Structure formats: structure tokens, C-alpha cells
Amino acid sequence: MSLFDKFEKTAALYNQLSEMGKNPFTVVMEEVLGPTRAMIKGRETVLAGTHNYLGQTFEPKAIAAAKEALDNEGTGTTGSRFANGTFAGHKRLERDIADFLGMKHCVVFSTGYVANLGAIAGLIDPSEDAVLVDADCHACIYDACSLSGAETIRFRHNDPDSLDKRLSRLDPKFKGKLVCIEGMYSMYGDTAPVKEFVEVAHRHGAMLLVDEAHSFGVYGKTGKGVAEAEGVMDKIDFYTGTFSKALAAIGGFVASNHPQAEYLRFSSRPYKFTASPSPATIASAGAALKNIKETPAIREALWANAERLHAALTQFGLRLASGPAPVISVLLPTKEEAFAAWNFLLDQGVYVNMAIPPGTPGKDSLLRLAVSSAHTGDDIDQLVAAYGAMAEAFQAARVTA
Amino acid sequence: MTAQQPGVQADDDLVYRRICTLLEPLNQKGVKLHRDIDLVADLEVDSVSVLDIVMDIEDYYDISIPVNTISETKTIGQLVDAIHAIKGQQS
Ligand SMILES: Cc1ncc(COP(=O)(O)O)c(C=O)c1O
């Protein structure tokens, strides 16, 4: 029994919410109707809490490619990248991602989570290296640090001076130093000053890893990410990404210009000890990548939707976490209000994400709206109407509250 | 800089007081603070808030406290001792 004791308090809360049928963490998509709609609790709902930024979940070319791979290569690889799980498709996709990013090397992993574990723990030797991590980095980067066993120092979010100080203080015994940041941060939709981080990291002889999980395909002139928008694609040491968002599949990767990045194929346990993505997954990710590369209009549609929603929510006086971005978060002072507002939106036929501390960067709770290029005019109208009603009903969500 | 041995007691006390001040706004149940208070179990402070408090301490004393060290501490007293040890090493 004692193994379970520590969970009892949380379990009581979780069960209570579930019984009321209002638990944001037990939502089921009962039937998927398209890239932006699903049935939830028997009701047709607009999905605005996904990571389907470029609306590729039902891209016909991606579906056709996946079906073909399924027919020709079977359902699964039944093995890891290191052993029997590397098919021609995995190698082709690595080439395509590297070409898209204009980088020389790419290693595909089973998920984005695994790619960060693989990159960080695969590069770091705890006896001689240290890792420096942005305070708001995703859990998988912190888990990667734990897995590496290395000394891990946290610096203030998006604050290159804070990193500078910590690198200056670092014990000279550390031979290798890795700095980890993200491109766009998923909770507030804010972006990193990547250019300044490159300067600080390199001045101290550290390498820089940028996780562009949420910004790949979305930011920059050609969709390479925030590093492209900042004009420093050629200066970052490691670029990590995922297939689970803009590419609407599952898988992850590490790209680099350092030829030694290929060493990850033997140094990285998360590369060696988990099965590789299935052939259909690789095929759909590849087709989605080709599609977004050839069709800049998809990215433009995403940004047009983001601007429109951001303007509408600003006009309602809602307290927003950042400027127009594919993630638009409304801040609420308490968990209870966030919970009530989340349910209110769901009752209006709108699904967004709810995040509460410690899953959020600050003390605020938030409702996170993730925009998709596939949101139609009707979807947007419904979102705007629901948020308008919410702004009326929840003083606490407004700037003037 | 300062002579280490004689300074320990007074300095330790200052670190302790600084941590208590930083914890006060998070101490919603009004628990009386002392060295044996468990941050998570007694104060119900989440792990990220502990990291944020430590960030303030780092900047105040101009030291770096690894995340690894923080995850090994449970009580206020253990945190004070860990910070104290690092202050000794890094100054
Ligand atoms: C910043 C960041 N990195 C990595 C991941 C993990 O990606 P995946 O879903 O492919 O495991 C996520 C998504 O949850 C993320 O937000």
C-alpha cells in the first residue's frame, strides 16, 4: 500500500473532478470530425487546444503516403534505430529534414521527448560536463538532465545576462557545457532571443541546443523556426524538433552541422533502446514536411488566424500572456477560476488547454488557445463568440479586473 | 572573502532568514517556519516554486546552486545547509 500513499491527496481531487465530468485531464475525443473538430461529450466541439498548427492531420498527400508505406513496409519496425529498426524511409526523412533546415546532419528518434533525452543525455558525461537550462524549458529537457546525471544549472527565462552570470561562475573543471533553450515556449507563446543566447553561449565556449518543438514549420521566413527568424540558423549547435506538432505524426529529431552529431547513434541510449517510428508514421511526416515546404500559404494562414484571434481577445480586454503568436494564453489568477473558465468554454463547444502551477511558468493559471492554419472562418467565429462570453462571465480573466 | 569559520553561524542565520522571507508569500496555510519544515509535504510548495526561490538566492549571493542539489533537499534546514556549503565553495 505504501507505494500509493503519496498519491492519495491528488487522486481524491482527480477523481472528484472526473466524477463531475469536468476534468480537463480526462477529455476523450469520442469521434474525430476533421483537423479542427471532434465530438466531446456527445457534442461537436471546435479544437483549439491541439498542436495541429499547420493542420496536417488530414492532409490527403500525407494520408496516401502513410497508406502506401503500410501496404509496402508493414505496421511496425519491431526494433530500435540502432538494431533492426532503421528502414530506407528513416534515412530519407533524416536527409529531408536536414535539407529543409539547411543543416548537415539529422538523427531521427521515436518522439520529441526521446529526441531531447537522446541528445542531451547522449552528449553529456556527468563526470566532466555541465548543462545550463532556461527556467521555463519543457519537462523533457529537465528529464534529460536527470538522465544524464550531470550538474544542471537553471537560468532565468529568456534572460541571456542570467545565463552569462552562471557561465562565468561555472567551475573551470567542467570541460563541456551545453545550454538548452526553446524557440517558442508552449505555455505563453513567447519566443527566445536566440541570437543573444548564441553570443553568450559561444563566448563562454558552451554549445547551444534549441528545442523548436513548437516553432518548427511555424516561425521564420521559410518555417525553419525562431532561429531562422533571428538569423542564426547556421550558429546553433543542436536543433531538436518533433513530428507531433506541425507535421501531425509522431517522432522527433536532432539536427546539427557538427559531423560528430552522428555519434549520437551509438552514444545515445534513447536511440538504442526504444523502437523506431513505424513506416506509416515516417511516411506521413515526410509527406507533411514536403507539403509545408512547398506551400508557404499554410504558414500564412496560421499567422492570419493568430492575428485575428489575438486582436479579438485583446478587444475583449482579456489578460493575454504575449503578443500575437500561434499560442494565445489567457491568464487567470487562481486554479479555481481557470477551471471554471475552461468548463465554461467547453460548454460553449470550444476545447482549449488548461494549465495550472506548477505546470505553468509563473503563479498564474492559464487557458491556452493553440491556433491552426486549418481553423475555418466558422471555427474562428465560434472561438471569438465563446471567448467574448467568457470575458463577460469572468471578470478575473480581464485586464481591468 | 570573509574568514569562514567564525562567520558560519551568523551567515547561516541570514540565509535561513532570507529563505523564510521568500517562502512567506507561498505559505498559504500560515505554517510556523523552522528548519525541519518539509517544503513540499508541510508547506505544499511545488517543486518549481522551490527552484524559483533558489534563483533569487543565487542572484542575491552571486552563486550557482545546481538543480541536482535542490532535488536532494526536503526541509528548509537542508536547503540552508546546501546553500551554505556552496557559498563556502564558490566565494
Ligand atoms: C518544448 C517541447 N519539447 C518536446 C516535446 C515533446 O514532443 P513529443 O510530443 O514529440 O514527445 C514537447 C511537447 O510536448 C515540447 O513542448
Side-chain angles (χ1 to χ4, degrees):
Chain A
M1 273 316 280
S2 67
L3 272 182
F4 302 130
D5 289 349
K6 56 185 171 293
F7 304 119
E8 294 307 335
K9 225 191 266 178
T10 312
L13 184 65
Y14 187 88
N15 292 335
Q16 186 198 340
L17 294 179
S18 303
E19 275 157 26
M20 288 158 61
K22 298 192 157 197
N23 188 339
F25 308 112
T26 54
V27 167
V28 177
M29 307 283 163
E30 290 143 8
E31 189 189 339
V32 179
L33 304 171
T36 64
R37 298 223 173 199
M39 299 299 286
I40 298 178
K41 290 188 205 159
R43 174 187 178 145
E44 181 168 343
T45 303
V46 178
L47 303 178
T50 70
H51 303 99
N52 195 10
Y53 298 120
L54 299 180
Q56 295 298 290
T57 47
F58 285 85
E59 164 53 42
K61 289 183 282 244
I63 290 176
K67 282 183 176 160
E68 199 185 316
L70 205 48
D71 286 340
N72 296 337
E73 298 168 66
T75 51
T77 67
T78 77
S80 81
R81 292 295 322 272
F82 188 61
N84 55 301
T86 294
F87 292 10
H90 296 82
K91 297 305 286 181
R92 207 178 310 123
L93 184 55
E94 287 178 339
R95 205 53 277 145
D96 290 347
I97 293 168
D99 287 348
F100 174 68
L101 294 175
M103 297 182 102
K104 295 200 180 75
H105 302 269
C106 176
V107 180
V108 161
F109 289 81
S110 304
T111 68
Y113 182 97
V114 169
N116 280 310
L117 292 190
I120 296 169
L123 286 164
I124 297 298
D125 177 344
S127 70
E128 55 181 42
D129 305 325
V131 197
L132 295 101
V133 183
D134 185 285
D136 288 3
C137 270
H138 189 256
C140 67
I141 293 180
Y142 282 92
D143 289 355
C145 294
S146 303
L147 182 64
S148 81
E151 179 152 319
T152 304
I153 311 259
R154 193 170 172 255
F155 56 89
R156 285 190 193 278
H157 175 55
N158 273 353
D159 186 342
D161 290 337
S162 175
L163 171 66
D164 197 353
K165 267 198 252 171
R166 280 157 179 78
L167 279 167
S168 305
R169 292 200 284 254
L170 202 64
D171 192 321
K173 78 176 181 204
F174 291 113
K175 291 196 200 134
K177 290 163 263 189
L178 180 68
V179 174
C180 302
I181 61 171
E182 293 178 26
M184 182 183 83
Y185 287 83
S186 65
M187 287 295 149
Y188 282 5
D190 55 336
T191 57
V194 183
K195 192 174 167 188
E196 289 174 61
F197 276 122
V198 165
E199 191 278 315
V200 173
H202 289 176
R203 177 154 48 78
H204 287 276
M207 285 187 163
L208 181 69
L209 178 150
V210 186
D211 179 354
E212 299 252 24
H214 293 267
S215 26
F216 175 84
V218 169
Y219 277 80
K221 195 155 160 278
T222 62
K224 293 187 180 103
V226 176
E228 181 186 27
E230 293 258 309
V232 290
M233 270 308 284
D234 57 335
K235 297 209 169 57
I236 61 180
D237 297 284
F238 303 97
Y239 180 118
T240 61
T242 171
F243 306 161
S244 72
K245 306 184 196 301
L247 299 183
I250 181 167
F253 66 89
V254 180
S256 177
N257 283 323
H258 298 292
Q260 299 93 328
E262 298 288 339
Y263 297 170
L264 288 173
R265 297 186 199 275
F266 59 80
S267 71
S268 174
R269 294 169 65 86
Y271 181 83
K272 292 193 286 188
F273 297 109
T274 190
S276 62
S278 75
T281 299
I282 292 291
S284 83
L289 176 64
K290 184 163 185 286
N291 192 43
I292 64 168
K293 188 175 172 178
E294 289 170 355
T295 326
I298 299 172
R299 195 166 48 254
E300 287 155 19
L302 167 70
W303 280 99
N305 285 346
E307 303 271 353
R308 198 182 143 201
L309 283 164
H310 191 274
L313 270 51
T314 304
Q315 203 166 21
F316 294 139
L318 292 166
R319 198 155 67 93
L320 303 182
S322 62
V327 168
I328 305 171
S329 287
V330 173
L331 302 175
L332 288 132
T334 66
K335 283 181 200 177
E336 290 71 24
E337 280 154 327
F339 181 69
W342 179 84
N343 273 287
F344 180 92
L345 287 179
L346 195 63
D347 289 342
Q348 306 276 317
V350 162
Y351 171 80
V352 297
N353 308 113
M354 188 196 84
I356 54 178
T360 54
K363 304 283 167 265
D364 291 309
S365 292
L366 55 89
L367 295 180
R368 172 182 182 278
L369 190 169
V371 188
S372 174
S373 62
H375 279 133
T376 62
D378 278 355
D379 291 341
I380 305 251
D381 289 344
Q382 199 171 326
L383 288 171
V384 169
Y387 271 82
M390 185 190 77
E392 287 283 313
F394 292 85
Q395 275 288 333
R398 301 219 300 264
V399 179
T400 47
Chain B
M1 289 240 297
T2 44
Q4 268 197 19
Q5 284 315 322
V8 168
Q9 224 22 62
D11 197 40
D12 190 58
D13 192 49
L14 280 177
V15 172
Y16 172 74
R17 287 217 299 258
R18 181 156 296 276
I19 288 178
C20 290
T21 308
L22 291 167
L23 282 173
E24 214 43 75
L26 303 171
N27 183 7
Q28 281 171 357
K29 293 194 302 182
V31 175
K32 187 165 162 27
L33 300 183
H34 56 83
R35 284 182 59 99
D36 294 332
I37 287 287
D38 185 305
L39 293 164
V40 177
D42 299 328
L43 283 188
E44 296 181 16
V45 173
D46 64 66
S47 53
V48 177
S49 298
V50 175
L51 293 177
D52 288 342
I53 286 173
V54 168
M55 191 91 85
D56 289 336
I57 302 264
E58 289 183 306
D59 285 340
Y60 185 80
Y61 289 112
D62 198 23
I63 54 172
S64 293
I65 305 167
V67 175
N68 325 47
T69 307
I70 306 160
S71 39
E72 284 159 14
T73 61
K74 287 175 87 76
T75 65
I76 295 179
Q78 287 167 355
L79 186 58
V80 170
D81 293 344
I83 292 168
H84 198 72
I86 289 170
K87 278 183 73 207
Q89 278 167 26
Q90 292 186 11
S91 57

